[in-house]
Amino acid sequence: MTQVTAQSLLELKRKREKFVCVTAYDAGFAAVISRAGVETILIGDSLGMVVQGHRDTLPVSMDHMVYHIEAVSRGNAGSLLIGDLPFMSYSDTEKTLHNSARLMRSGAHMVKLEGGSWLCESINKLTQRGIPVCAHLGLTPQSVNTLGGFKVQGRSEAAARRISDDAHEVEAAGASLLVLECIPQQLAAAISRQLTIPVIGIGAGPDTDAQVLVLHDLLGVTPSPPRFVKNFMAGQDSVEGAFRAFSSAVKSGEFPAEEHSFNH
Ligand code: KIV
């Protein structure tokens, strides 16, 4: 696969062609995922839960992220690599610039951070200095303690308005991509329509420009996975087949279905 870039993803959105993202944490899976034609790989801080066995993502450190990004980068063959900035690694702009540079030097092509308007100054500075940014709104797992659990966000009119305003602000600040996690499908559809940048959904219904799943959820490894997950290993005889099945189900509009989505 020729190297996927932020520009080629924007072009896919212009052509109304959907794309996919899968999380990966090591070279072996990164090689298979990129060989299957998955456009983007997220080295997510979900590794704190699915690799390290923690209850949430808060224990993940910069050193952990660097280790896993380097490994994924060695296996990758053309997918765009998005590296998560872990909890408290972007609490002020100087810290954000320093830690983002570390992730980029480890092999990431873009960094992801969780939050809205309070991050606009950092997003602006990162993009001006050559670091593309993916923002993340809705259920932001690093804020699980202020959100009161892993719950659907944006159900009230006021909460939906805040997410929508944040989405417009991060785009104006220079973000290249936006992840929307666990919000009503109608809200995700409206934001995806209004923004120029591609929106990647997880538990956000079928109308975003792309879909992301956590590797262990997609392969049926997670016991009692959340409602928005589908096991794409079922019926496949190879792991690569599961990634291809995910990609084609998203591109055909078959996934996510109503049963994987949330309403107001
Ligand atoms: O860390 C992660 O894997 C993520 C996805 C769930 C979007 O942020």
Side-chain angles (χ1 to χ4, degrees):
M1 176 165 60
T2 43
Q3 179 60 53
V4 176
T5 63
Q7 290 72 21
S8 58
L9 297 177
L10 193 58
E11 192 47 34
L12 288 179
K13 175 157 182 162
R14 279 205 200 99
K15 292 193 287 187
R16 294 171 188 256
E17 283 178 32
K18 298 209 183 236
F19 62 91
V20 287
C21 178
V22 176
T23 69
Y25 317 98
D26 65 41
F29 273 109
V32 183
I33 293 168
S34 53
R35 200 166 60 226
V38 169
E39 289 86 354
T40 62
I41 294 178
L42 170 65
I43 305 93
D45 62 354
S46 50
L47 72 86
M49 299 171 80
V50 298
V51 176
Q52 297 173 338
H54 295 293
R55 284 185 5 220
D56 56 42
T57 59
L58 275 57
V60 176
S61 69
M62 275 298 298
D63 287 347
H64 296 148
M65 291 309 307
V66 165
Y67 175 87
H68 287 282
I69 291 170
E70 284 177 349
V72 167
S73 178
R74 286 192 284 265
N76 179 41
S79 302
L80 179 92
L81 302 185
I82 307 170
D84 251 345
L85 282 160
F87 179 59
M88 289 305 281
S89 67
Y90 52 100
S91 51
D92 63 54
T93 300
E94 275 321 298
K95 226 173 169 177
T96 311
L97 293 176
H98 173 80
N99 286 324
S100 299
R102 270 193 81 193
L103 298 192
M104 297 297 280
R105 288 197 186 101
S106 311
H109 303 123
M110 184 180 286
V111 300
K112 179 166 82 59
L113 28 70
E114 299 180 7
S117 61
W118 71 273
L119 286 169
C120 285
E121 184 193 333
S122 294
I123 293 172
N124 194 256
K125 289 212 162 120
L126 286 169
T127 52
Q128 282 177 2
R129 285 156 182 75
I131 301 185
V133 176
C134 176
H136 184 157
L137 296 169
L139 171 54
T140 46
Q142 291 172 15
S143 303
V144 62
N145 293 299
T146 46
L147 298 177
F150 295 101
K151 297 176 181 163
V152 179
Q153 301 296 307
R155 275 195 153 140
S156 73
E157 218 173 285
R161 164 61 53 200
R162 268 197 305 278
I163 293 172
S164 177
D165 289 348
D166 278 341
H168 285 89
E169 286 179 43
V170 295
E171 173 173 85
S176 298
L177 291 176
L178 171 64
V179 168
L180 290 178
E181 179 166 356
C182 284
I183 63 168
Q185 56 178 325
Q186 300 83 353
L187 175 60
I191 293 172
S192 305
R193 224 177 19 251
Q194 290 160 10
L195 296 194
T196 304
I197 59 170
V199 175
I200 306 176
I202 175 164
D207 300 317
T208 54
D209 307 301
Q211 297 288 330
V212 56
L213 281 180
V214 168
L215 175 68
H216 295 59
D217 294 347
L218 187 157
L219 295 179
V221 174
T222 310
S224 333
R227 165 190 171 148
F228 55 78
V229 164
K230 181 172 172 183
N231 174 2
F232 282 95
M233 195 62 223
Q236 298 296 323
D237 54 16
S238 74
V239 165
E240 186 173 332
F243 298 133
R244 289 188 187 279
F246 171 51
S247 180
S248 67
V250 168
K251 287 172 195 197
S252 69
E254 185 193 311
F255 178 81
E258 198 56 39
E259 79 228 50
H260 307 115
S261 307
F262 303 104
N263 288 298
H264 286 300

